[in-house]
Amino acid sequence: MKIAQVAPLRASVPPKRHGGTGRIVSYLTEELVRLGHEVTLFASGDSATSAALHAACPSSIRSNPKISFPDALYVLLLERAFGTYAGNFDLIHSHIDLLGFPLARRCSTPVVTTVHTRLDLPELEPVFQQFSELPLVSISDAQRSFKPGANWQCTIHPGLPRNLYSMHPHLGKYLAFLGRISPGCGVEQAIELAKRTDVQIRIAARVDPVDQHYFDDIVPLFEHPLVEYVGEITDGEKDDFLGEAYALICPIDRPEPFGLVLIEALACGTPVLAYRRGSIPEIVDHGMTGYLCNTLTEMVHTVAWIPNLNRHHCRAAFEERFTVERMVQDYLLLYQRAAHEKSDRSTAQVPCQVMQPAPSVLTDDARIDRRRHLVKQHKAGQLAV
Amino acid sequence: MKIAQVAPLRASVPPKRHGGTGRIVSYLTEELVRLGHEVTLFASGDSATSAALHAACPSSIRSNPKISFPDALYVLLLERAFGTYAGNFDLIHSHIDLLGFPLARRCSTPVVTTVHTRLDLPELEPVFQQFSELPLVSISDAQRSFKPGANWQCTIHPGLPRNLYSMHPHLGKYLAFLGRISPGCGVEQAIELAKRTDVQIRIAARVDPVDQHYFDDIVPLFEHPLVEYVGEITDGEKDDFLGEAYALICPIDRPEPFGLVLIEALACGTPVLAYRRGSIPEIVDHGMTGYLCNTLTEMVHTVAWIPNLNRHHCRAAFEERFTVERMVQDYLLLYQRAAHEKSDRSTAQVPCQVMQPAPSVLTDDARIDRRRHLVKQHKAGQLAV
């Protein structure tokens, strides 16, 4: 297929540092190319890809502080991807969230949009109502639950390259916290957990400029013999940081649409201890690849159970459900369907005819079946470890 | 005519505090309604207007710190103004700069865009090339000089209500600086001028959060007996602040597309002392309503000449060239022409046919003629003072 991938411009694809969306767009793009598809990546010019790169700007917004009008770069991206070059593609896959909605509606080529952002914010409600016919993909069922009226095609969980992280079979000695130090990201709860369970915690987390004051306020919490702050780490460093951990701790108390860090831990064979919030129950199988708790006290009592989990089950869950190959298979099914469903799109003031939601590529039942099958295989010792 | 005015959402229309674009959109809208036109204002819901208000959001972005996705509000504004409701209007007048370009190109109703921003930034170049057929209005000839290839229809200088500020006939005793304390806005040069000429300076200027460090750095400059810092002032307070000044000082060393403060001073009868940069020579007549200088030293020597200027000439220049009535007359001529020029607009990937630039509503020659006529009238004592 001739496929356009439209990426955000704030970071390159893949991002030089952090940035979940850019990483997923990169993995998806590279795998599509490997499978023989003709892919054009619309992204910043400092991106690295084996697809054809169409640069809407020489460098990403984050890497160029001289850019005063980031909107100008997006206007150009929109016009080129959904206008000037749209006719070259069988399908356009947008990753720029709602920014692409007005032109997606008017585009002669089918557009599917993966929504990468959280959807629980009130200002998004009228936008999703206005564009209710646009075919969307959620990155978790939890994410889409905030916008039940949208034209969701399916949930496609993000995936990582199979060999990006390696299986670490031995039970580690420390709790790992990986992410951001920011209000609501749970680092205070993670430290509290370490203290109450008397287990060491290692914290690998970046501090964005906007969160510097918050970090300064909570710095005394880090001055404890059980707490080690290792700063921001690279993708390469994550393998050992996560793989040598006893468990990944994820005490985020808000509905995150997905958590790449959770599947990174599973890829390393490391179980997850997390709050039962948002998308997390879709990613972590309670009692199989981690434990889900409702309160910090529950989490404190659960830390001791971690050795009951089989680290090979964590890795197997990753290989079964969270690889790039699986993600790309799901997307290709959707692309093929969307490219053949040419709808009567109007172009001006009349909104498009509302399309009926199509059945999910993978239904909930099928997903549960697949998970049960995995468990059975494990119990029968059939999965390579 | 049935006219839509599409305003930025960062502030209400008119803005509760500062915001040049929102003020101009408000003046334009109210005058069009007064003349009997059917006007719909697309703006934030906390706007105040005698037109029909279509609120894209309950309150402006600046007034609601809880808004995490300002882009969502703009996506909705774009779709409603240029899509859902576009068919209701003879003409759509956009004030949201390049954000409206992709939908303006695809809109069935004629759209004219007044560009309110500076155009000397490199990231704007490919956008203006991409949308070279869209009919644009510049707020000064200097502004458009950075994008000579765009489809400029005319320059229409902003205007203020005739009675917003009042004539102050008596020569004041202090230099006035009104605006922002920000790098490049010239407050340091203004203070230096006061010291070197031994004339008092009063500084009415806001400090945006982003400029707080800069302000902290230059605060010692304000500790001088000739310098008085009066903070941010309201529109109502400007009348006396400007009107009782000896001159307005405007030592901005970059190409500003327009300076509302200059015509506010003229409306009060106060002459302007400014650098010969950007749009300023279009606003201030050297030797008639102020003096234009190339360097600070030249400005120091020129301060003593201010009493040679007739304050009534300043007010007359304002009444002749910078009132809302004049601005609206110019826009109506343009609206009528644009509404009758229905071009073949394509809707999808093929850019519109390039329209030939139309002659300016007011040519440069006509503008110079009008200015000469004004001077003659003054010399003959024909203008009411």
Side-chain angles (χ1 to χ4, degrees), chain A residues 119 121-130 146-149, chain B residues 72 76:
Chain A
L119 296 181
L121 302 166
E123 62 263 33
L124 302 181
E125 188 55 39
V127 181
F128 278 77
Q129 281 180 14
Q130 177 81 52
F146 291 100
K147 296 285 170 282
Chain B
L76 202 65

Side-chain angles (χ1 to χ4, degrees), chain A residues 68 79 83 105-106 123 349, chain B residues 68-69 79 83 105 123 349:
Chain A
S68 307
E79 183 64 35
R105 170 176 277 183
R106 291 162 174 81
E123 62 263 33
Q349 59 270 43
Chain B
S68 306
F69 277 88
E79 183 64 34
R105 170 176 277 184
E123 63 263 34
Q349 60 270 46

Side-chain angles (χ1 to χ4, degrees), chain B residues 284-301:
Chain B
V284 176
D285 289 320
H286 181 69
M288 172 65 72
T289 61
Y291 293 111
L292 303 178
C293 306
N294 292 313
T295 63
L296 189 67
T297 302
E298 201 180 322
M299 217 179 250
V300 168
H301 295 140

Side-chain angles (χ1 to χ4, degrees), chain B residues 57-297:
Chain B
C57 49
S59 56
S60 69
I61 294 167
R62 198 191 278 158
S63 71
N64 188 353
K66 284 188 185 165
I67 294 173
S68 306
F69 277 88
D71 288 341
L73 313 184
Y74 273 104
V75 163
L76 202 65
L77 174 75
L78 287 166
E79 183 64 34
R80 290 183 175 173
F82 298 99
T84 314
Y85 299 106
N88 299 344
F89 309 115
D90 300 317
L91 182 120
I92 298 168
H93 187 177
S94 171
H95 299 272
I96 56 174
D97 293 327
L98 43 75
L99 273 185
F101 285 2
L103 286 204
R105 170 176 277 184
R106 290 162 175 81
C107 188
S108 54
T109 299
V111 178
V112 293
T113 300
T114 294
V115 182
H116 290 271
T117 192
R118 46 193 286 214
L119 296 181
D120 55 321
L121 302 165
E123 63 263 34
L124 301 182
E125 187 56 37
V127 180
F128 278 77
Q129 280 179 16
Q130 178 80 52
F131 295 92
S132 60
E133 90 287 1
L134 288 182
L136 305 180
V137 175
S138 46
I139 57 172
S140 66
D141 292 341
Q143 178 197 33
R144 73 157 75 173
S145 67
F146 290 100
K147 296 284 169 284
N151 185 13
W152 297 111
Q153 300 294 298
C154 52
T155 287
I156 300 183
H157 289 142
L160 302 174
R162 189 174 293 268
N163 298 320
L164 188 63
Y165 301 106
S166 59
M167 175 63 195
H168 290 64
H170 303 298
L171 186 69
K173 289 204 171 358
Y174 59 88
L175 302 172
F177 179 94
L178 177 60
R180 275 197 306 152
I181 293 180
S182 179
C185 286
V187 72
E188 294 169 75
Q189 287 77 6
I191 292 173
E192 177 68 16
L193 179 70
K195 291 178 186 171
R196 285 170 62 179
T197 55
D198 201 28
V199 179
Q200 191 200 354
I201 187 163
R202 299 186 72 202
I203 297 167
R206 74 177 196 268
V207 182
D208 289 337
V210 69
D211 295 319
Q212 191 59 49
H213 279 303
Y214 169 72
F215 182 60
D216 294 344
D217 285 348
I218 65 165
V219 136
L221 296 178
F222 290 72
E223 291 159 7
H224 188 283
L226 285 172
V227 179
E228 183 188 358
Y229 177 54
V230 299
E232 184 172 0
I233 61 174
T234 64
D235 277 356
E237 290 167 330
K238 282 183 192 172
D239 192 35
D240 282 345
F241 177 78
L242 290 170
E244 292 171 7
Y246 176 81
L248 174 77
I249 305 303
C250 187
I252 293 183
D253 202 11
R254 63 187 181 201
E256 288 292 311
F258 198 81
L260 279 187
V261 63
L262 305 180
I263 63 174
E264 288 173 334
L266 297 181
C268 296
T270 299
V272 176
L273 191 52
Y275 281 145
R276 195 187 303 275
R277 300 280 188 281
S279 60
I280 293 179
E282 295 173 52
I283 305 169
V284 176
D285 289 320
H286 181 69
M288 172 65 72
T289 61
Y291 293 111
L292 303 178
C293 306
N294 292 313
T295 63
L296 189 67
T297 302

